[in-house]
Amino acid sequence: MDYNIMPLSDASIGDRVKVIEIDGGRKVTNRLMELGIIEGVLLDVVNCGGGPLIITVGNSRFALGQGIAKKIIVEKIRKNVSVN
Amino acid sequence: MQDFVVALAGNPNTGKTCVFNNLTGSKQQVGNWPGVTVEKKEGSIVYGDRTIQLVDLPGTYSLGAFSEDEVVAREYIMSGEADVVIDVVDATNLRRNLYLTLQLLEAGADVVLALNMMDEVQRYNMEIDPKKLSSTLGVPVISTIASKCVGMEDIIEATIKLSGRNRKEKFAIDYGQELESHIERLVTYIERDVKLKTDYPSRWLAIKLLERDERIVAELNRYENAREIVDMAKDSREALNKKLDIKLDSYIIKKRYEFIEHVLDKSLILKESSGPTATEKIDKIVTHRIWGLPIFIGIMIIVFAFTFALGEPLEELVGEGLDAFGEWVESSLMAVDASSIFISFLVDGVIHGLSAVLEIVPLLFLLFLMIGVLEDSGYMARIAYIMDRPMKAIGLHGKAFIPFLLGFGCNVPAIMSTRTLDSHRDRMLTIISNPFISCGARLPVYILFAKVFFPRHRVFVIISLYLIGILMAVLTTKLFGKKVFTEEDTSFIIELPPYRFPTLRGIFLHMWKSVSAFLKRASTVILSAVIVIWFLSSIPFGVEYASDESVIGKISSIIAPIFKPAGFGTWQATIALISGILAKEVVAGTLGVVYGAGGTGLEAVIAQHFTPLSAYSFMVMTLLYAPCIATIGAIRNETKSRKWTFITLAYGFVVAWVVSVSIYQIGTLLGF
């Protein structure tokens, strides 16, 4: 089922997602990739809700604006695990 | 032994600046938010019989050309000035940090890898094998804990060892058959051009051309025969883009990450992650989508309340001390029959001029200290996150808020910090509006006037000035964002570093830095300004000191009518504003000189020359009218445009005049 494929901006707190594709302009795409946000990488959504999201990649935390989050296509692989 | 040059490179938040401080013993400021080192800083290491020049480059994630600080770092590396590059990596974030390492190696740098924060590796349930890392990357790897000064000597020794060696083997990543054939072809052509071949590592240049690096393409325009190579690279790109299933630049980055994975496979063991870290727990609260903003506002209130509550009594103490000192000097000199000119010079000029400025020192300490704590703790990056949504309303993103915040300390570092913003538009908007943010140097004027005219509402009056400054900055951003720089940048990304306890050492470094910078200014620019003003107030000789018959009185009287509608068309106020362009602290200092009084004496004189309304109007003028020389220089440097520097100045003055005049005229109408 394709329900699990969505832009990162639609993910909720506690989701673990896998990056499928980055569908942005050259500049944004390259910047994200340089930060380690590349295809196949797992992201944990730590914070979201209208404004920018906070995600973790490995041991790094990033805040991403909505504009960018819309361009990162992800697959949800774990739902809403409670983050303490 | 021959000296050599070493560059320090690394991602932001890797403890790079801390390594720099340890190695050089310098009082360099360390911050915990992306982009503290916006310009390269230099220091030297004396080790045994060797002296090593150390250059601290801005922290960058890559050597691309996205933001100005990356360009600074890259150009330095490519200049070949550094014999060795120490690459400081955060051991807990190896994957991302090694990306920069690869770029350094591809650029042909001789790298020593400082594997920093090794003490935190265990906490993240990881294990790193530095030996294997070293053998797979082919560079010396040193484990360090910069915050505890561990491994610093090892770095120096590895650096010295590497500097004496000529590396034969060139580092190369295998980009796969498809790409390699194109790289090879480009390299062949590049190497035919003697000039290109000597100026650039050929393989690196070929890859940059395939990545379509705009700066490099622009640079190549300077070479006669490069056109052909640029065109050839373009054809290669088109061919490859058709063949590959993803864009060529993405493909190249992916290949680099594949290489990193290969390196990490051998040297990194990851166990299942442990429970939530302290950073996660704190972020849960302070970046909460409802509570985040009120918490931030609360913190800012505490910051300013603390600064003023503690600073004001100290300020009064210093003021009284300086008053007493001035009186003592005057009476002692009179007792020994010193010439009256000399007494006037020392007391009216130097002491009165400087005391209005020096009084503010304790307040400035505290203000910079608080900003320092915000930086060192890691909260600054969270502020960018929290402010992203409010900043949207003025067409900027959260990262652009940081220069505004730093502006409350000083506009110069604030304007320099805009280099970390990726888009030209955001930089220009932030730079143009930054001078309206009330820096610490404007405080002496507020404090002086608020004390005399609004003794019971001092705090309220000062807050209102800060708010007027913020309002003007917001309106300016909106205006220029709508009319001039219209293309909005929606790409907000910022790293949120782990929280760290600001160390006592870090706090002292902040204190030292602000004190020394301020005292340096006071002893140079401000002191010379007050002396010149004293001199101009005293000639032609025989004229009554600082009267309208003096040279300064005559010149200023010509300009003064401009300020008449704002309520302070006196030549004394005018000269104070003019000299304030040297440094904003001078405004208060000049008043001290031209009224020939300091401390409480000055307060009494001012009370005669201003009304509460004209005093308020004067404070607003001081807030808005023009940035100081140092800030103007920063604007010129960062915009790289004389036109925009001029526009910023002219616009600022018009805004200041209109606002001050409106306040005075409306106030008069209302009967204040």
Side-chain angles (χ1 to χ4, degrees):
Chain A
M1 292 248 275
D2 270 351
Y3 291 133
N4 286 336
I5 308 281
M6 62 188 179
L8 180 61
S9 51
D10 287 354
S12 6
I13 296 185
D15 282 355
R16 170 166 289 184
V17 299
K18 185 171 163 185
V19 177
I20 301 294
E21 196 192 346
I22 299 171
D23 186 21
R26 176 175 130 91
K27 201 172 158 173
V28 170
T29 309
N30 288 0
R31 171 46 36 114
L32 285 169
M33 290 181 77
E34 285 172 351
L35 293 175
I37 301 172
I38 56 174
E39 278 168 41
V41 144
L42 296 179
L43 312 176
D44 284 319
V45 180
V46 189
N47 206 333
C48 61
L53 289 86
I54 298 180
I55 53 133
T56 59
V57 197
N59 293 322
S60 311
R61 297 163 86 75
F62 292 102
L64 300 177
Q66 280 285 317
I68 287 191
K70 281 193 185 115
K71 291 169 185 157
I72 305 174
I73 310 301
V74 296
E75 180 188 1
K76 195 186 283 192
I77 58 173
R78 192 183 68 185
K79 256 180 103 175
N80 270 351
V81 180
S82 70
V83 181
N84 297 308
Chain B
M1 276 290 209
Q2 218 197 331
D3 292 349
F4 62 106
V5 182
V6 174
L8 258 186
N11 281 191
N13 313 310
T14 53
K16 193 169 64 67
T17 307
C18 186
V19 170
F20 182 82
N21 288 342
N22 290 342
L23 290 180
T24 60
S26 133
K27 308 287 187 290
Q28 172 76 47
Q29 180 177 329
V30 191
N32 189 15
W33 80 277
V36 172
T37 316
V38 281
E39 192 140 23
K40 49 181 205 283
K41 304 240 158 65
E42 295 180 32
S44 59
I45 315 167
V46 180
Y47 189 76
D49 57 345
R50 317 221 29 177
T51 309
I52 306 170
Q53 277 305 113
L54 192 63
V55 177
D56 188 22
L57 298 175
T60 57
Y61 295 108
S62 131
L63 289 184
F66 285 131
S67 55
E68 210 51 45
D69 49 354
E70 283 187 11
V71 175
V72 170
R74 180 166 96 187
E75 282 180 355
Y76 188 77
I77 298 287
M78 297 313 298
S79 75
E81 265 171 64
D83 301 287
V84 177
V85 178
I86 299 173
D87 177 18
V88 183
V89 302
D90 170 0
T92 65
N93 278 304
L94 261 189
R95 181 172 284 105
R96 163 164 62 78
N97 278 257
L98 284 179
Y99 188 82
L100 178 72
T101 313
L102 291 196
Q103 293 203 308
L104 291 169
L105 290 170
E106 284 195 294
D110 281 319
V111 173
V112 170
L113 201 70
L115 205 50
N116 197 25
M117 307 194 193
M118 277 302 272
D119 53 335
E120 288 178 28
V121 167
Q122 273 193 330
R123 216 187 310 144
Y124 285 104
N125 271 340
M126 302 159 65
E127 251 176 61
I128 298 173
D129 185 338
K131 274 194 191 132
K132 288 213 173 112
L133 191 59
S134 171
S135 62
T136 43
L137 277 174
V139 301
V141 174
I142 312 293
S143 301
T144 63
I145 307 166
S147 58
K148 292 176 188 144
C149 272
V150 175
M152 296 300 123
E153 289 205 353
D154 299 343
I155 297 183
I156 301 177
E157 271 166 19
T159 309
I160 292 176
K161 222 167 129 192
L162 197 65
S163 73
R165 204 173 71 197
N166 263 336
R167 202 157 51 101
K168 297 235 167 57
E169 230 177 291
K170 275 202 179 147
F171 177 87
I173 295 169
D174 182 2
Y175 284 103
Q177 217 183 346
E178 212 105 52
L179 200 58
E180 286 296 339
S181 64
H182 284 270
I183 294 175
E184 219 168 280
R185 201 162 66 100
L186 281 169
V187 165
T188 323
Y189 276 87
I190 291 165
E191 294 199 333
R192 273 185 208 162
D193 188 314
V194 184
K195 248 190 131 266
L196 269 184
K197 197 187 160 192
T198 44
D199 287 0
Y200 297 95
S202 22
R203 184 179 164 86
W204 180 84
L205 183 60
I207 295 167
K208 283 289 151 195
L209 287 173
L210 289 176
E211 281 182 295
R212 195 160 50 110
D213 186 298
E214 273 129 26
R215 288 250 178 180
I216 294 295
V217 173
E219 273 177 35
L220 285 196
N221 278 335
R222 292 199 308 252
Y223 295 83
E224 278 171 42
N225 307 316
R227 191 70 252 161
E228 199 190 334
I229 293 165
V230 172
D231 287 341
M232 191 186 295
K234 200 176 154 215
D235 293 341
S236 288
R237 258 198 329 263
E238 275 161 16
L240 284 164
N241 267 328
K242 259 182 221 151
K243 244 185 214 166
L244 302 167
D245 52 351
I246 60 170
K247 279 178 216 143
L248 180 57
D249 2 345
S250 301
Y251 177 82
I252 292 174
I253 300 175
K254 249 178 105 173
K255 279 287 173 190
R256 291 193 186 121
Y257 268 104
E258 273 174 27
F259 185 89
I260 292 171
E261 290 306 331
H262 160 77
V263 171
L264 291 182
D265 265 350
K266 295 187 175 164
S267 52
L268 176 73
I269 302 167
L270 258 181
K271 296 168 193 160
E272 191 42 41
S273 67
S274 47
T277 59
T279 293
E280 280 166 34
K281 286 179 194 157
I282 299 172
D283 266 351
K284 207 71 201 145
I285 304 162
V286 304
T287 62
H288 190 274
R289 85 190 142 103
I290 296 161
W291 301 117
L293 193 58
I295 289 173
F296 165 61
I297 293 170
I299 288 176
M300 289 319 286
I301 290 172
I302 292 169
V303 164
F304 280 97
F306 172 81
T307 307
F308 284 98
L310 217 67
E312 269 198 298
L314 287 173
E315 178 236 320
E316 268 174 46
L317 214 66
V318 174
E320 281 164 21
L322 287 165
D323 269 2
F325 178 69
E327 278 162 31
W328 176 79
V329 169
E330 194 168 0
S331 58
S332 326
L333 285 175
M334 275 173 23
V336 297
D337 270 339
S339 78
S340 62
I341 286 262
F342 182 67
I343 296 179
S344 163
F345 167 73
L346 219 59
V347 178
D348 295 333
V350 177
I351 296 178
H352 289 161
L354 284 187
S355 59
V357 178
L358 290 177
E359 268 182 30
I360 207 68
V361 169
L363 259 176
L364 277 185
F365 282 179
L366 292 165
L367 192 63
F368 277 106
L369 174 70
M370 295 310 281
I371 291 177
V373 171
L374 291 181
E375 281 185 11
D376 284 2
S377 64
Y379 187 63
M380 203 62 114
R382 274 72 185 183
I383 296 176
Y385 168 81
I386 293 160
M387 289 306 290
D388 189 59
R389 254 199 288 188
M391 288 296 279
K392 277 256 163 62
I394 58 169
L396 288 173
H397 57 57
K399 227 158 132 183
F401 183 73
I402 304 299
F404 288 119
L405 193 60
L406 295 178
F408 288 117
C410 175
N411 299 111
V412 175
I415 286 170
M416 281 168 62
S417 75
T418 61
R419 287 188 188 181
T420 58
L421 303 178
D422 295 338
S423 91
H424 177 71
R425 169 191 184 268
D426 287 9
R427 289 197 68 198
M428 291 303 286
L429 290 179
T430 321
I431 291 171
I432 293 168
S433 45
N434 206 284
F436 291 135
I437 298 297
S438 187
C439 69
R442 289 168 228 192
L443 267 173
V445 178
Y446 306 162
I447 294 203
L448 174 67
F449 279 80
K451 208 184 210 168
V452 177
F453 295 101
F454 309 98
R456 282 170 53 214
H457 306 285
R458 290 161 74 172
V459 178
F460 176 74
V461 164
I462 293 174
I463 290 177
S464 75
L465 289 162
Y466 274 88
L467 292 179
I468 289 175
I470 295 169
L471 182 69
M472 287 304 134
V474 164
L475 293 177
T476 303
T477 311
K478 275 212 112 156
L479 176 73
F480 282 87
K482 275 233 169 74
K483 301 286 174 203
V484 189
F485 304 101
T486 43
E487 210 175 306
E488 208 168 307
D489 175 28
T490 50
S491 55
F492 171 57
I493 316 177
I494 193 170
E495 187 189 354
L496 305 176
Y499 288 103
R500 294 183 202 290
F501 252 110
T503 59
L504 213 56
R505 181 161 173 258
I507 288 175
F508 276 118
L509 288 186
H510 278 295
M511 288 278 235
W512 187 89
K513 196 189 167 222
S514 64
V515 176
S516 64
F518 181 84
L519 291 180
K520 204 172 147 200
R521 246 193 350 257
S523 61
T524 53
V525 181
I526 302 173
L527 182 63
S528 355
V530 294
I531 289 175
V532 169
I533 291 158
W534 171 83
F535 180 71
L536 293 176
S537 309
S538 307
I539 53 170
F541 286 109
V543 78
E544 193 190 334
Y545 173 74
S547 67
D548 50 3
E549 287 302 310
S550 64
V551 168
I552 212 169
K554 281 185 179 153
I555 298 173
S556 306
S557 302
I558 300 170
I559 306 168
I562 298 177
F563 298 113
K564 192 139 204 266
F568 45 87
T570 63
W571 66 268
Q572 290 97 332
T574 307
I575 190 63
L577 289 173
I578 293 173
S579 51
I581 295 176
L582 288 173
K584 286 293 175 92
E585 299 94 328
V586 176
V587 175
T590 305
L591 289 173
V593 177
V594 291
Y595 286 125
T600 42
L602 180 58
E603 285 162 25
V605 184
I606 282 174
Q608 291 166 10
H609 285 80
F610 287 84
T611 65
L613 183 60
S614 71
Y616 192 78
S617 164
F618 183 74
M619 286 191 276
V620 171
M621 181 60 89
T622 307
L623 161 69
L624 303 173
Y625 78 112
C628 66
I629 290 264
T631 307
I632 296 171
I635 295 172
R636 169 77 181 85
N637 267 342
E638 300 303 319
T639 58
K640 293 195 179 73
S641 153
R642 249 181 239 153
K643 183 184 124 196
W644 277 105
T645 311
F646 177 76
I647 291 175
T648 308
L649 291 179
Y651 168 79
F653 186 76
V654 171
V655 167
W657 193 85
V658 169
V659 174
S660 296
V661 169
S662 311
I663 287 175
Y664 186 71
Q665 296 300 337
I666 294 171
T668 311
L669 281 179
L670 295 177
F672 282 107

